[in-house]
Amino acid sequence: MKLKLIVTFLLLHLVGWAQNKGTVTGILTDKDLNNEALPFANVVIKGTTIGVTTDETGKYSLSVEAGTYTIQFSFLGYESIEEKIEVKAGETLTINKALGSGSYQLQDVVIQKTVSRERESVLMLEQKNAVEIKQSIGAQEMQRKGVSTVEQGVAKISGVSKVADRGIFIRGLDDRYNYLQINGLNFIPSDPNLKTIPLSFIPTDIVRNIDVFKTFNSGLYQDFAGASLNIWTKDISSKPYTKVSISAGFNSITTFKDFKSGSEGGTDFFGYSGNNRALPGVFGENVALGYQASPAESKNLFNSSWSPEQTTAPMSIGTSITNSDSFDLSNDRKIGYIFNVNFSNNYLSQTGERRNLNSEGTAFKDFDVANSKYFTQKSALASLNFKKPNAYNFFFNIIYLQNSESTIEEIQGENTDFITIDRPFFLRDTKYVENTSFGIQQVGTLYFKDKKHTLEYGIAATLGKNNMPDRKTLIAEGVGSDADFVTFNGANPFRFYSILDNLNVNGKAEYEIKFGGDVDGKSKNSIRFGYAGDMTNYDFFNRTIRVNGGGNLADTTMDTNNPQAFFDTNFDNGSLYYASTSDPTYNVKIAQFINAGFVNYNRIWEKLTLDIGARFEYMFRETKSRKETSTVTSPFDVQVYDPIDFSPVLNLKYELNDKSNLRFTASKTSTKPRFREILPFRYQDGDGNFSIGNPDLKNTQNYNVDLKYEFFPTQSSLVAVAIFGKHIQDPITRLLEGTSTGFLTKFVNFDEANLYGIELESNFGLDVIFGESFFAQRTSFGLNTIFMKSEEIADKAKFPRITSTERSLQGASDFIINADIVYDLIKNEKVESKVSFIYNTFSDRIYAVGTDGASDIKQKPIDMLDFTWRNTFSKKYQLNLTVKNILNAEILATQDPTRPIANPSQFSNVNNRLTQGVNVGLEFSYTF
């Protein structure tokens, strides 16, 4: 009886207490992102412990006793809003607010200004809500993990690995099978060897976030099988800020050690070639016929020297400046800008081996290698933004990317194709390359009918130039003062010039209509359709100028440390001269046009989302060139390739519960070759090896299927597993064939390839597993890995010289592992300090397919372990320490014998080996 009275009393008390309470509810939106929902924001009754967090749709609700309060709305990196409210018993008060990004420093982000799509939690939410399979990494995560370039950032994503100067591999597929856009528009590279701009050239200072689409949707160009990447540049800050940084770096095998330089002027330090490398007018771009200079004329034709400079490598340096501000205009309009410039350089000395092996494992080219490389990278971003929430948002961007590489490579050893005496073959290749891309973009979004209709458009133009001025290849018998000048078997020393100019114009227009009511704040139905166009023109020029010997060349003794003295002496006595021959391949022109149209339908039910679409692309490519057997006055041979590609796609997402999704996607895409792979031009290495493109290459046809389960334990953590498969028709393959002087590298279409695997993705704080312990609260862990199998098949009748008709797909690894762990050492109002370890590795993969009984050349694993220690003081000053390649991993490729080894005691399967050294960097920055 007493228990019943107590329960009754408590119930009456609770009812009475509840009747004295009121409810405050509403929706928070992001003012800077056209009032999209702002999830995970804080809503607090000031001066109390009462508070909630908005859900994924920006909604909040809390109950308080009747009275007058101050309610506070806040979000990390955003301005806080306070408002006095009066809560009445039994009533519901609705308060909706839009928060704008402020200029406050994020606690776990180095940069001062940020907007939502830089944050891990928001990008994780986008990944959760997206119907296609994609992954993203934002400025917040890249800063937290010590990432300084886009390449390093993308390498944290599952299925992605990077290999020195060969760029990134995604799901075992290299640069050829990936695609890159900046702000949703094409930005083609100037380097003919690449399909995408090297991501290492893009600093994270100008990046908001990177989206990696591993599956197709109809709004993307279908030119990928691995992934389509979209880099979004930084948004405009709501308040003014300026960030200045300087850095210095040390390499364990290079810094303060001997270094050979081919410097031809003061501008080389900044990565710009001066007039000293200019092509003489007698060999100029408009000179079709060959020209033979007299010995006296030859001495003064060129300003650059054959003799390298011996210096000491200093520390590398870098600097960056970013400034941003915005201004409020009338009628809720806003205008803002962001400006950033970056410069960095790097010195690298490498030693190693280079060998060509036959089927018995015998090396007929067996060299020791020594490289001296000097790199520079420059970038600039200027962006202007004009917008009005719920009406329009316009961006105008200017992007400048430039890099240079100055290399002196020396090889010496046995080369039976050239040298028949006991002294070693010696080759010094002095090469300078500049790549420049200058792009202009205008991107806009317009909203109509309460945002039920949306028009997105963009147009961009990019000017690119790949410039290799005055490459000098010196060949000798012997090294140092005990050397002889070589003038036989086509091995004359030569100077080489090449220029590739490209112009790209591309644009898009997409219109989306939403209709049929809403499901959880999203339209049940939407139709999206649009057009995209891309035009690229390539103009390639090259010139080879050889040093020829006359009848008076009696003394061939040369000191390879100072060959310029030898040349000058023999120019004076009339024994040497420069000459070019009539080369019909000196000019190649390629024009490519792509017109694409697409349509897409999206339907949302309570748990299921269907996305189905199709894209049609018509490509027209015209190649104008002359065969090596033609004359320079012959008309161009014209080759036309004009396929029509139809790419359907189906995406399904089923929401198992509020923390997990199941996804399925199936699509067809089409991959185009790189420019170098279709360029009909013979590129000489100087040691007898050369490469040539194939304009008859066909686009590959890729059939893709993915099934993925993902679980989100918290708003910023994820555990996911995906099963995928790909069937590729006409895969493009790098093929090596033996010739009378060495190896020919060419590119062909094999018959088909199949690739399938499982991908694991995880990113979470250890408190998810170990609870609220001190260590777990301060530690986050990421582990992304992929396990796969692949097979590439070729028809023996079409390729009779290949050693094996079945093998793994070129570039594909059986597994890739990316792991990182981050620990907060100190975290308070004045000091934040955290350390991170990042590890990447992959299994063996084929670099090139072997022929004539020789085995395939395989790239061996590179176990990369990096360390970062980041420190922030008073939310303005930063001091960061990085140590990269802690394990001092080397670049290694091998080639095993396919027959019994002729000389087992002398055998080595090394095809190529190069050291990299350990890199230590220190960076200081100040934000004001």
Side-chain angles (χ1 to χ4, degrees), residues 4 10 34 77 179 331 372 374 389 485 625 728 815 824:
K4 290 182 179 180
L10 290 175
N34 299 301
Y179 200 72
N331 299 321
S372 293
Y374 174 67
F485 179 67
S625 62
I728 304 175
F815 68 82
D824 290 325

Side-chain angles (χ1 to χ4, degrees), residues 85-100:
I85 60 173
E86 182 179 356
V87 180
K88 297 181 180 179
E91 294 185 1
T92 297
L93 178 64
T94 300
I95 302 178
N96 300 324
K97 290 293 180 183
L99 302 186

Side-chain angles (χ1 to χ4, degrees), residues 130 225 338 355 486 489 509 554 565 640 648 722 777 826 831 851:
I338 186 169
R355 308 168 76 242
V486 174
N489 200 17
V640 173
Q777 285 286 312
I826 304 171
V831 179
T851 59

Side-chain angles (χ1 to χ4, degrees), residues 70 119 132 135 144 249 378 548 726 730 810 855 864:
T70 297
R119 295 190 303 273
E132 69 273 353
Q135 294 171 256
R144 182 172 62 85
K378 285 82 67 183
N548 293 333
K726 296 179 183 293
D730 301 314
Q810 180 203 320
S855 180
M864 294 293 292

